[in-house]
Amino acid sequence: MEFPSELKYTKDHEWIKLEEGNIAKIGITEFAQGELGDIVFVEVETVDEELAAEEVFGTIEAVKTVSDLFLPVDGKIIEFNELLEDEPEKINEDPYEEGWIIKMELKDVSDLDSLLDSETYKNLIGQ
């Protein structure tokens, strides 16, 4: 299983990657997609909304379950990965690249310091 060191992680199994300035991509971890199984639908209706850390920004539906998606830090949702509308399985195939879910504008980049690094996340899930 991969846990890229350039990402930050949450206890709820989301990852966040700072792209440029205060813009970041967010998705779910390889561990999370494995636990969910085959992903069939992703819904994000919060584009252009400002949300606080740990608020629900969308849902992800697998064959057997539906799970909420939680925002790692405070900020504004600026984009949904439209590739997932027709190919939600990209999250299973490539959770850290093509399978990203949203882009957001961080309110404060220093909030990333409160998240887990890859080693701490691996310990959390027993890897």
Side-chain angles (χ1 to χ4, degrees):
M1 227 180 283
E2 285 188 58
F3 305 96
S5 59
E6 70 273 13
L7 306 180
K8 290 290 195 163
Y9 301 87
T10 71
K11 61 182 176 14
D12 297 311
H13 313 292
E14 283 86 17
W15 59 262
I16 183 168
K17 179 182 181 184
L18 200 57
E19 294 280 291
E20 61 179 77
N22 65 337
I23 305 299
K25 282 184 181 173
I26 296 168
I28 64 169
T29 66
E30 184 175 357
F31 173 80
Q33 68 79 24
E35 292 291 301
L36 288 168
D38 293 336
I39 294 167
V40 295
F41 188 70
V42 181
E43 182 173 54
V44 174
E45 294 184 347
T46 53
V47 174
D48 295 328
E49 290 184 24
E50 288 198 26
L51 300 173
E54 300 185 14
E55 278 195 83
V56 174
F57 71 83
T59 57
I60 190 164
E61 184 176 338
V63 173
K64 296 180 182 172
T65 189
V66 176
S67 294
D68 288 334
L69 296 164
F70 300 96
L71 204 61
V73 294
D74 297 349
K76 181 178 182 179
I77 312 301
I78 57 173
E79 184 180 339
F80 171 65
N81 182 357
E82 294 187 5
L83 175 66
L84 301 179
E85 287 180 6
D86 295 324
E87 299 180 76
E89 67 276 6
K90 287 293 182 191
I91 294 172
N92 294 115
E93 296 166 3
D94 191 6
Y96 300 118
E97 295 296 331
E98 286 190 322
W100 62 274
I101 299 171
I102 60 167
K103 283 188 182 179
M104 71 175 292
E105 185 178 324
L106 280 65
K107 192 171 194 174
D108 185 347
V109 174
S110 69
D111 289 346
L112 294 174
D113 297 337
S114 67
L115 300 175
L116 308 174
D117 62 21
S118 62
E119 286 303 312
T120 307
Y121 181 71
K122 282 199 289 196
N123 290 335
L124 174 77
I125 61 169
Q127 293 291 310

